Amino acid sequence: MKRHLRLSAVVAMATAGILGLAACGSSSNPLSTDSSSTGTSAAGGGDIVVGSANFSESVLLAEIYAGALRAKGINATTKPNIGAREIYLRAIEDNSVQVLPEYTGALALYYDKTFDKTDPTEVYDALKGLIPSDLEVLDKSAAEDNDSIVVTQQTADANNLSSIGDLKGVAGDMTLAAPPEFQSRPQGVPGLKRVYGVSFKSFKALTGQTLVQALKNGQVDAANIFSTDPAIAANNFVVLTDDKKLFGSQNIVPLVRKDVADQVSEALNAVSAALTTDKLSALLQQTDIDKKDPKDVAQQFLTDNNLG
């Protein structure tokens, strides 16, 4: 779920992401505003559009951000499921959206392919100097959602697996499932080989519940799943320890256009102050397992934390 994080390859990924939008049920225009998210007149500025990536955690966070903004009298709407990072960052850069939920380490690596910091504070501080001058990151939250490599309990027991490094001797006979961008991103398949010497026999591009079911049913042997994804606990999957910190620190942070930072910072910083990893995992249990509407789950979070 997430997470989570991420270049001739960028062009190819953008094309793939655009084609993938139809499959996830979004509008034929990936930047079409979700008109069901409405608000009152803006307070002290123009309307704000909150975008999201094409996975459930990002969609939920966008609804939380938009709801917090509306509670402050700002007319905020959402554009969910825009696509992968290569696509949705273009949306904020061209002002199609003004706010996005992001992840500190993955965003830093997107702008600096050699980025190798792992301490949460160092990652956040460095990120501020890496993003374009017309963008700004607000306060980071304590909530963190990281990429992880998971296997079934049966696979872990059969191969004595507890860390990613343990895969080195067996991955050559295994299939890894992950979102398509994981195959080329520095922290994905190339990073597994570079940092751990782990190379899988084959790669299968899957997302969401299709990915989870493929792992559960034995169609693949390992999967890249966001660490907050409730499917991990629900299916008794084993998260392999990232001893060498390939996936870095991935604190959730609002990425905003600098020209709206003053308008949105109070509301979004308050969300960051209230958001923890445990709270986020509980919220995703409601959206992903219990199948509740992300808008309703977001509103309940805001109510419970006196934010809306």
Side-chain angles (χ1 to χ4, degrees), residues 15-280:
T15 302
I18 291 169
L19 292 173
L21 289 171
C24 60
S26 61
S27 165
S28 58
N29 176 2
L31 298 182
S32 170
T33 302
D34 176 9
S35 59
S36 64
S37 297
T38 59
T40 58
S41 59
D47 296 353
I48 299 296
V49 182
V50 184
S52 85
N54 56 341
F55 58 91
S56 63
E57 180 176 288
S58 186
V59 172
L60 173 62
L61 289 167
E63 294 295 345
I64 291 173
Y65 286 176
L69 292 170
R70 290 194 293 269
K72 292 293 185 181
I74 297 169
N75 187 28
T77 56
T78 58
K79 284 180 178 174
N81 291 309
I82 293 173
R85 177 168 289 107
E86 292 82 356
I87 300 173
Y88 68 66
L89 286 180
R90 291 190 325 203
I92 197 169
E93 289 166 1
D94 70 16
N95 204 25
S96 299
V97 304
Q98 292 76 47
V99 174
L100 289 165
E102 257 294 1
Y103 302 85
T104 53
L107 187 59
L109 190 64
Y110 177 85
Y111 286 114
D112 178 3
K113 298 302 182 283
T114 66
F115 191 82
D116 60 0
K117 297 183 185 298
T118 58
D119 176 79
T121 300
E122 290 182 0
V123 171
Y124 175 67
D125 289 343
L127 175 61
K128 296 175 184 177
L130 293 174
I131 59 178
S133 60
D134 57 348
L135 302 182
E136 183 174 328
V137 286
L138 302 182
D139 293 353
K140 67 178 176 66
S141 70
E144 184 174 14
D145 188 4
N146 219 327
D147 284 286
S148 66
I149 301 298
V150 305
V151 296
T152 62
Q153 186 67 61
Q154 181 180 4
T155 297
D157 291 343
N159 296 282
N160 195 27
L161 303 176
S162 62
S163 69
I164 295 176
D166 294 337
L167 287 166
K168 186 174 182 179
V170 296
D173 296 319
M174 292 181 167
T175 297
L176 172 69
E181 59 269 20
F182 193 79
Q183 189 169 19
S184 59
R185 283 182 175 170
Q187 284 179 309
V189 170
L192 290 171
K193 183 175 182 179
R194 183 183 71 255
V195 175
Y196 286 104
V198 170
S199 296
F200 287 89
K201 177 181 69 175
S202 60
F203 177 89
K204 186 170 288 189
L206 298 172
T207 60
Q209 285 303 305
T210 304
L211 184 154
V212 170
Q213 289 303 313
L215 180 62
K216 181 180 178 180
N217 297 334
Q219 296 166 292
V220 300
D221 305 290
N224 164 231
I225 298 178
F226 290 126
S227 60
T228 58
D229 194 322
I232 294 175
N235 293 283
N236 198 31
F237 292 155
V238 176
V239 177
L240 301 182
T241 305
D242 181 17
D243 293 329
K244 298 183 180 180
K245 301 297 183 185
L246 167 63
F247 299 132
S249 296
Q250 305 293 352
N251 293 90
I252 293 167
V253 64
L255 176 68
V256 306
R257 289 188 58 83
K258 187 163 288 186
D259 54 8
V260 304
D262 289 344
Q263 183 185 1
V264 303
S265 60
E266 180 181 359
L268 299 186
N269 285 342
V271 170
S272 291
L275 196 62
T276 66
T277 301
D278 287 345
K279 286 181 181 178
L280 181 58

